[in-house]
């Protein structure tokens, strides 16, 4: 499927044995020859899909978002729930995709919200030159996720201390994405969370994911972390783009006209329409997104 110039793949696997046996060797060979990886992650709705399109439009680079979304979302589910499951097959698949990217360009931007709970491990294993952490205004993000239907299904659970299991209400087409990506709390807090409005549930979710990313990135060298602030970027996108592009080595830079054309293709206004929040929704949003707002202010001060 094509979205602008950004290729999205639903490849579930089926990679040949010969390819898999050589992935680590080919990956290290790429790094030693000067190829670069930029890892991107976020909670949601922070402009990285379009930014990936923009990177992909450069002659020396590729940009991809959620290339292996089932494998990547499973990776997050395992990390979030601290499950005793080996993830080396997922990491090898991610490496294989990057090796393929490097055949097309010297810089690979690989972006996924599902890297959130393992971003430090991925940094250590994949050795990116930079990690781009995208953020956006919490209120806008919560509404946009709400419009996408987050947490609108009935959950069935009897033991809150176990990872969430099979859910009959999830749509078949997107089943694994719903289970692995739309994380719910474990433990005693689950009952409180279940009683919330969808706005309250999403507020908790967004706060939790953003905090997890930042807590892990504190252990990554500061000079390697780029904060991509969508709210700031859209004020004057072109100079914002040139700062990041120059920092990660994109060349030659796109013209402002080409850049705007790519951005226009990625805008889906229906996801951003706001409904009138009830008093309960407002109260829950304020309560459960407080840490998120505090973090958002802190991260904006670390902006590029």
């Amino acid at each position: 499927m094509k979205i602008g110039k950004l290729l999205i793949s639903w490849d579930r696997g089926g990679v040949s044995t010969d390819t898999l046996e050589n992935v680590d060797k080919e990956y290290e060979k790429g790094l030693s020859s000067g190829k670069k990886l930029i890892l991107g992650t976020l909670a949601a709705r922070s402009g990285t899909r379009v930014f990936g399109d923009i990177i992909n439009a450069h002659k020396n680079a590729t940009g991809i978002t959620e290339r292996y979304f089932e494998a990547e979302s499973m990776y997050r589910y395992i990390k979030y729930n601290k499950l005793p499951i080996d993830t080396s097959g997922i990491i090898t698949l991610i490496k294989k995709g990057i090796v393929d990217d490097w055949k097309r360009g010297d810089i690979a931007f690989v972006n996924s919200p599902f890297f959130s709970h393992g971003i430090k491990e991925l940094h250590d294993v994949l050795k990116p030159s930079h990690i781009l952490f995208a953020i956006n205004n919490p209120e806008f993000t919560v509404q946009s996720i709400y419009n996408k239907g987050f947490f609108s299904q009935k959950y069935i659970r009897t033991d809150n201390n176990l990872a969430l299991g099979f859910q009959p209400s999830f749509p078949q087409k997107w089943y694994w994405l719903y289970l692995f990506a739309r994380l719910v709390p474990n433990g005693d807090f689950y009952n409180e969370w279940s009683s919330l409005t969808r706005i309250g549930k999403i507020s908790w979710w967004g706060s939790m994911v953003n905090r997890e990313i930042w807590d892990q990135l504190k252990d990554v060298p500061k000079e390697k972390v780029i904060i991509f602030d969508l709210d700031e970027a859209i004020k004057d996108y072109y100079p914002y783009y040139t700062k990041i592009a120059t920092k990660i080595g994109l060349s030659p830079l796109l013209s402002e006209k080409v850049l705007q054309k790519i951005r226009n293709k990625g805008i889906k206004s229906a996801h951003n329409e706001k409904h009138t929040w009830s008093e309960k929704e407002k109260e829950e949003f304020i309560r459960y997104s407080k840490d998120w707002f505090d973090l958002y202010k802190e991260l904006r001060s670390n902006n590029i």
Side-chain angles (χ1 to χ4, degrees):
M1 179 179 180
K2 281 273 190 178
I3 298 182
K5 291 184 177 293
L6 177 59
L7 178 65
I8 298 179
S9 168
W10 286 287
D11 189 347
R12 288 169 170 80
V15 182
S16 71
T17 300
D18 289 343
T19 298
L20 292 175
E21 287 180 344
N22 291 308
V23 165
D24 288 342
K25 181 179 179 181
E26 290 298 314
Y27 192 84
E28 292 302 321
K29 181 180 178 182
L31 286 176
S32 63
S33 69
K35 301 288 188 179
K36 292 172 62 176
L37 168 67
I38 316 298
L39 277 182
T41 197
L42 67 156
R45 317 303 295 163
S46 299
T48 53
R49 193 177 297 277
V50 172
F51 194 70
D53 282 341
I54 291 169
I55 292 178
N56 202 53
H58 293 76
K59 293 181 179 180
N60 68 328
T62 59
I64 194 78
T65 291
E66 298 175 32
R67 185 191 339 248
Y68 305 115
F69 79 80
E70 287 180 337
E72 292 166 7
S73 61
M74 181 183 182
Y75 177 77
R76 177 160 80 173
Y77 189 79
I78 291 170
K79 294 300 180 182
Y80 171 73
N81 288 292
K82 298 179 172 60
L83 300 177
I85 297 175
D86 182 74
T87 58
S88 56
I90 297 172
I91 292 175
T92 296
L93 185 62
I94 293 170
K95 280 186 174 181
K96 184 262 181 190
I98 297 167
V99 168
D100 289 343
D101 292 340
W102 284 339
K103 294 174 183 176
R104 298 171 47 216
D106 295 327
I107 301 171
F109 174 67
V110 180
N111 172 56
S112 179
F114 311 129
F115 295 159
S116 60
H117 284 64
I119 192 64
K120 176 58 168 59
E121 178 184 64
L122 293 173
H123 164 269
D124 295 344
V125 173
L126 300 178
K127 304 170 187 173
S129 64
H130 294 88
I131 294 177
L132 186 142
F133 176 21
I135 60 173
N136 199 2
N137 180 282
E139 184 173 353
F140 172 91
T141 306
V142 168
Q143 180 65 68
S144 189
I145 295 173
Y146 178 95
N147 293 346
K148 296 197 69 166
F150 263 53
F151 304 128
S152 58
Q153 285 76 31
K154 167 69 176 177
Y155 287 82
I156 298 176
R157 194 181 198 187
T158 56
D159 191 337
N160 300 344
N161 293 311
L162 296 178
L164 187 69
F166 185 91
Q167 297 299 310
S169 63
F170 289 174
Q172 184 176 4
K173 181 178 180 182
W174 302 106
Y175 182 82
W176 296 113
L177 187 64
Y178 276 50
L179 178 62
F180 292 150
R182 301 184 179 187
L183 303 173
V184 304
N186 298 320
D188 294 339
F189 178 66
Y190 178 78
N191 291 328
E192 178 182 333
W193 180 85
S194 295
S195 69
L196 301 177
T197 64
R198 286 179 56 218
I199 290 293
K201 291 175 180 177
I202 294 167
S203 298
W204 167 83
W205 179 89
S207 184
M208 178 273 296
V209 174
N210 276 283
R211 175 56 67 183
E212 178 65 25
I213 294 170
W214 187 236
D215 283 350
Q216 290 195 34
L217 288 181
K218 289 176 182 177
D219 293 326
V220 171
K222 186 175 180 181
E223 65 273 11
K224 298 180 77 172
V225 177
I226 298 172
I227 304 299
F228 180 89
D229 179 359
L230 181 60
D231 219 23
E232 187 67 26
I234 59 178
K235 292 178 182 177
D236 199 354
Y237 202 99
Y238 192 72
Y240 198 88
Y241 145 76
T242 59
K243 287 181 183 179
I244 296 180
T246 301
K247 189 167 188 176
I248 65 177
L250 295 176
S251 178
L253 298 182
L254 303 179
S255 69
E256 189 166 2
K257 182 179 180 180
V258 169
L259 185 81
Q260 190 57 46
K261 185 177 180 180
I262 297 171
R263 288 187 64 210
N264 289 341
K265 288 182 179 180
I267 296 173
K268 296 182 179 180
S269 58
H271 290 164
N272 304 329
E273 294 175 359
K274 186 169 183 177
H275 74 277
T276 301
W277 289 11
S278 68
E279 291 304 312
K280 191 171 189 295
E281 287 174 322
K282 293 177 184 177
E283 185 276 325
E284 289 178 357
F285 170 72
I286 292 171
R287 190 190 340 161
Y288 291 100
S289 65
K290 182 183 183 304
D291 181 59
W292 188 357
F293 264 109
D294 290 343
L295 178 60
Y296 182 59
K297 293 175 183 177
E298 177 187 349
L299 293 176
R300 298 195 86 188
S301 69
N302 287 287
N303 202 342
I304 63 165

